[in-house]
């Protein structure tokens, strides 16, 4: 199945769907950014590489835990696991990216035609996980309010290289009312397994973002008066490393189109 724009959409009751119900929708072909889906359940990024590259990716994640917090790893060729019981990692994400030698060559809604027995899947924490507690605290998420994908940017900040993997830090941005920035920092810092506290607050130029209205991934959002751009480390960072490091083949989630896991958001909160 290839990405079909006619299927792009959102269900009005997306927030109330169980993770299994949401994954079934995506397996059937629905394509949608997943912010706000299956409220209360953790979402995750994916990076899938041949076994020959798996140690490099694992070491890259270990050296860069802020953008690459590993929630789980599937064995080579394995397509399901504890975070998606009864699911299929090849079909249960709304859209996937396909890279050949670092080039994005396709976006598809199933990896079945690409699957190999040597592929290792890394499930990486996602900042969508702490959006529910932010919203519970009265902090609005502009991309959800505006019905858009979250904006994501390559920065001038370099990650720590590991083996054959190197690349820039990627961040997601949410405009937060000035009076609530401290709350957003405090609340997200309780979720270190899904990126934790922001990496930058304020002027985007200080981290190499020339034009905040032109994200590298996702959609631009309107930044309301009285808000400050707040940047969190993003799980698209491993895909940026794939682009720079050029493994023969690699796959990821389409940015903003996440794996909805069976784990509760609260499982990743620390006191």
């Amino acid at each position: 199945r290839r990405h079909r724009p006619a299927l792009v959409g959102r269900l009005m009751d997306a927030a109330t769907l169980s993770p299994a119900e949401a994954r079934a929708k995506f397996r059937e072909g629905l394509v949608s950014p997943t912010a706000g889906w299956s409220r209360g359940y953790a979402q995750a990024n994916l990076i899938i590489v041949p076994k020959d590259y798996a140690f490099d990716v694992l070491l890259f994640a270990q050296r860069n835990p802020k953008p690459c917090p590993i929630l789980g790893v599937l064995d080579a060729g394995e397509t399901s696991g504890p975070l998606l019981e009864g699911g299929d990692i090849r079909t249960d994400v709304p859209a996937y990216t396909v890279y050949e030698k670092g080039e994005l060559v396709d976006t598809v809604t199933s990896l079945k035609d690409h699957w190999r027995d040597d592929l290792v899947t890394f499930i990486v924490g996602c900042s969508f996980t702490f959006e529910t507690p932010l919203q519970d605290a009265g902090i609005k998420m502009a991309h959800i309010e505006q019905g858009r994908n979250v904006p994501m940017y390559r920065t001038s900040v370099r990650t720590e290289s590991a083996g054959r993997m190197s690349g820039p830090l990627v961040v997601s941005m949410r405009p937060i009312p000035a009076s609530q920035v401290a709350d957003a920092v405090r609340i997200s810092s309780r979720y270190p397994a899904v990126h934790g506290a922001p990496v930058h607050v304020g002027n985007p130029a200080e981290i190499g973002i020339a034009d905040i209205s032109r994200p590298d991934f996702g959609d631009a959002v309107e930044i309301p008066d009285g808000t400050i751009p707040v940047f969190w480390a993003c799980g698209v960072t491993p895909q940026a490393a794939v682009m720079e490091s050029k493994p023969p083949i690699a796959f990821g989630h389409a940015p903003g189109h996440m794996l909805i896991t069976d784990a509760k958001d609260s499982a990743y909160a620390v006191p």
Side-chain angles (χ1 to χ4, degrees):
R1 291 181 286 120
R2 291 188 177 274
H3 182 98
R4 289 169 286 178
L7 291 175
V8 177
R10 249 185 113 76
L11 299 181
M12 294 300 292
D13 61 348
T16 66
L17 294 175
S18 72
E21 290 169 337
R23 294 195 300 263
K25 296 288 184 186
F26 304 140
R27 195 180 312 133
E28 292 163 3
L30 180 70
V31 179
S32 172
T34 54
W37 282 65
S38 301
R39 188 176 174 88
Y41 287 89
Q43 300 196 24
N45 306 269
L46 296 182
I47 190 73
I48 303 172
V49 296
K51 188 175 181 180
D52 177 55
Y53 266 78
F55 179 75
D56 290 9
V57 172
L58 189 63
L59 185 60
F60 181 79
Q62 191 273 335
R63 289 180 178 173
N64 299 280
K66 193 78 169 173
C68 308
I70 299 293
L71 303 184
V73 183
L74 302 184
D75 288 340
E78 192 174 23
T79 58
S80 191
L83 290 173
L84 64 159
E85 289 289 351
D88 191 325
I89 204 69
R90 303 170 298 176
T91 58
D92 291 7
V93 169
Y96 302 83
T97 50
V98 181
Y99 296 95
E100 294 179 0
K101 296 181 180 178
E103 295 293 326
L104 177 63
V105 297
D106 209 352
T107 300
V108 298
T109 57
S110 172
L111 292 180
K112 281 193 170 182
D113 291 342
H114 297 273
W115 197 253
R116 303 176 353 186
D117 289 341
D118 69 331
L119 291 175
V120 177
T121 300
F122 292 86
I123 300 172
V124 180
C126 172
S127 56
F128 286 174
T129 299
F130 57 63
E131 287 184 344
T132 296
L134 290 177
Q135 290 173 303
D136 287 344
I139 302 172
K140 293 182 179 180
M141 298 290 99
H143 57 287
I144 296 178
E145 297 274 324
Q146 297 171 27
R148 300 177 186 176
N149 197 354
V150 69
M152 293 158 273
Y153 307 82
R154 288 187 182 89
T155 72
S156 57
V157 180
R158 297 292 297 175
T159 58
E160 186 174 349
S161 299
R164 292 164 285 183
M165 298 289 288
S166 63
L169 174 69
V170 177
V171 295
S172 60
M173 187 280 294
R174 296 161 181 80
I176 305 293
S179 63
Q180 294 180 307
V181 169
D183 289 334
V185 172
R186 174 180 55 81
I187 292 167
S188 59
S189 69
R190 295 185 57 219
Y191 294 83
V194 290
H195 305 306
V199 295
H200 184 69
V201 176
N203 186 359
E206 292 179 0
I207 54 173
I209 299 171
D211 187 349
I212 201 170
S213 70
R214 299 183 65 184
D216 295 294
F217 312 96
D219 301 325
V221 296
E222 298 170 16
I223 300 179
D225 290 341
T227 65
I228 296 172
V230 179
F231 300 88
W232 279 267
C234 177
V236 176
T237 299
Q239 294 192 49
V242 161
M243 294 177 199
E244 182 172 304
S245 306
K246 304 184 189 318
I249 190 78
F251 308 94
H253 65 290
H257 298 68
M258 319 306 296
L259 172 68
I260 300 178
T261 78
D262 294 325
K264 291 285 187 74
D265 293 339
S266 56
Y268 296 112
V270 295

